[in-house]
Amino acid sequence: MSNAQQVYIDGKLCDEADAKVSVFDHGLLYGDGVFEGIRFYNGRVFKLKAHIDRLFDSAKAIQLTVSLSHEEVTQAVMDTIRANGLRDGYVRLLVTRGVGSLGLNPFLCEKSSVIIIASKIALYDEEKYQQGLTVVTCGTRRPAPAALSPSVKSLNYLNNIMAKIEAINAGAEEGVMLNEQGFVAECTGDNVFVVKDHIIYTPPVTAGGLNGITRRIVMDLAREEGFELREQDLTRYELYTADEFFLSGTAAEVVPVATYDGRIIGEGKPGPITLRLMEFFRELTQTTGEPIYD
Ligand code: PXG
């Protein structure tokens, strides 16, 4: 096998340069498909089952038949990481509707395609984890759940990308997205938490954010540590006046926010509860997960 990065496409591992899909794949033509971003740490895949479960739920919601079973997808993820000899990194797992005709009808696509890329990811420099991010509110709203459920992790990320463009244009690292009612939904690729008077708050999933796997871990960790945690609708006011503010996501992990719309959060550096949760999260990533190598 060559030294080039190995990409999995429909049962085969191929060199990166040969890893290609058809221009008639509805994943490309319409963003018709679903995906997961999964991390592996220290030779173990973190929360693999939760990610594969969510992938199958996203697929079911858009009536997409995954050509592999749950176990086969799990195996293919492991095989792809092993083929690249990695111990720490990131897996992008996607299922596209497959090759079809020029027309929306997804049922004319013969067979969905499973693609797995195992690589490295570093979203933010280490100093951002020590100093905190700059975040702004985006004008682009999260779509109403009745338009496209935010629980579907679909290949159509234009809504998030529009918001990310706004955040970058404003000189920020991330952007808060509100729902149609003006309540906080989430950021472009992470969920939102704030701390006020030692109580941790996060918007409910019904506010329009993704049901994040890191979000659920943070909620469990917080409760295990005896913190009071409330899922409730939040406005920008609650974010501006928070003692602490942090984001959670597979790519971002647990990352503090230092300024939001120009307001300094707390003391302008990661607060004590954020730091504790970051530490517990890091510990969990290093000590749990599905072993990749025997
Ligand atoms: N909201 C959105 C819109 C996301 O895309 C999260 C929240 C956090 O969910 P998890 O389950 O990861 O805790 C996400 C996840 C990337 C990238 O390439 C984005 C995500 C995950 C991995 C990589 O920027 N978003």
Side-chain angles (χ1 to χ4, degrees):
M1 202 178 280
S2 77
N3 287 328
Q5 185 176 356
Q6 298 294 302
V7 177
Y8 174 100
I9 306 183
D10 294 327
K12 292 196 193 73
L13 285 161
C14 51
D15 284 358
E16 190 180 341
D18 304 320
K20 293 181 178 148
V21 294
S22 164
V23 294
F24 294 101
D25 191 310
H26 278 211
L28 177 68
L29 289 175
Y30 299 110
D32 185 356
V34 296
F35 81 101
E36 281 297 320
I38 310 169
R39 283 238 196 201
F40 49 99
Y41 298 90
N42 198 21
R44 295 167 188 239
V45 186
F46 190 58
K47 297 288 167 189
L48 180 57
K49 184 176 181 302
H51 283 285
I52 306 233
D53 284 348
R54 189 171 64 183
L55 180 83
F56 274 84
D57 283 347
S58 293
K60 186 162 189 192
I62 67 161
Q63 209 176 327
L64 169 65
T65 307
V66 183
S67 54
L68 303 178
S69 69
H70 211 280
E71 291 68 36
E72 287 167 335
V73 174
T74 304
Q75 196 56 50
V77 167
M78 291 295 190
D79 290 346
T80 309
I81 301 172
R82 278 189 214 113
N84 289 284
L86 297 166
R87 289 185 63 80
D88 290 89
Y90 175 76
V91 168
R92 171 60 57 97
L93 163 60
L94 41 142
V95 185
T96 75
R97 189 73 69 174
V99 175
S101 54
L102 293 176
L104 281 178
N105 189 346
F107 304 120
L108 297 177
C109 301
E110 257 178 40
K111 192 168 170 283
S112 62
S113 272
V114 177
I115 297 168
I116 307 170
I117 305 165
S119 190
K120 293 269 177 191
I121 188 170
L123 206 57
Y124 304 119
D125 295 340
E126 183 51 36
E127 69 169 48
K128 294 289 170 197
Y129 291 86
Q130 285 156 20
Q131 293 169 8
L133 301 179
T134 300
V135 173
V136 292
T137 308
C138 300
T140 305
R141 299 288 172 108
R142 263 328 239 152
L148 175 61
S149 171
S151 295
V152 176
K153 204 162 158 60
S154 88
L155 289 183
N156 192 328
Y157 252 51
L158 266 183
N159 173 247
N160 311 59
I161 289 167
M162 294 286 280
K164 188 82 182 180
I165 288 169
E166 288 185 60
I168 294 166
N169 284 347
E173 279 95 24
E174 251 299 0
V176 167
M177 300 183 75
L178 308 176
N179 63 22
E180 282 300 315
Q181 286 74 46
F183 291 111
V184 174
E186 59 178 341
C187 281
T188 69
D190 341 86
N191 293 108
V192 168
F193 287 85
V194 290
V195 181
K196 182 76 171 177
D197 296 333
H198 307 285
I199 300 171
I200 305 171
Y201 297 87
T202 192
V205 171
T206 48
L210 180 73
N211 190 355
I213 290 168
T214 319
R215 172 183 181 273
R216 277 181 267 158
I217 296 167
V218 168
M219 290 169 69
D220 290 346
L221 281 174
R223 288 189 172 125
E224 275 165 32
E225 289 306 311
F227 292 110
E228 189 175 339
L229 187 141
R230 296 187 191 161
E231 279 181 270
Q232 68 177 55
D233 277 327
L234 302 172
T235 67
R236 281 174 292 171
Y237 173 82
E238 279 86 37
L239 273 47
Y240 292 148
T241 57
D243 300 327
E244 303 183 34
F245 181 171
F246 62 91
L247 311 180
S248 73
T250 297
E253 302 174 295
V254 179
V255 63
V257 175
T259 72
Y260 173 47
D261 284 348
R263 280 77 162 178
I264 291 169
I265 301 301
E267 319 234 308
K269 59 180 184 12
I273 295 178
T274 306
L275 288 170
R276 271 177 77 181
L277 290 171
M278 284 168 70
E279 192 187 314
F280 292 133
F281 179 76
R282 201 155 279 189
E283 160 103 27
L284 202 64
T285 63
Q286 292 300 320
T287 55
T288 60
E290 296 301 314
I292 303 162
Y293 305 96
D294 298 326

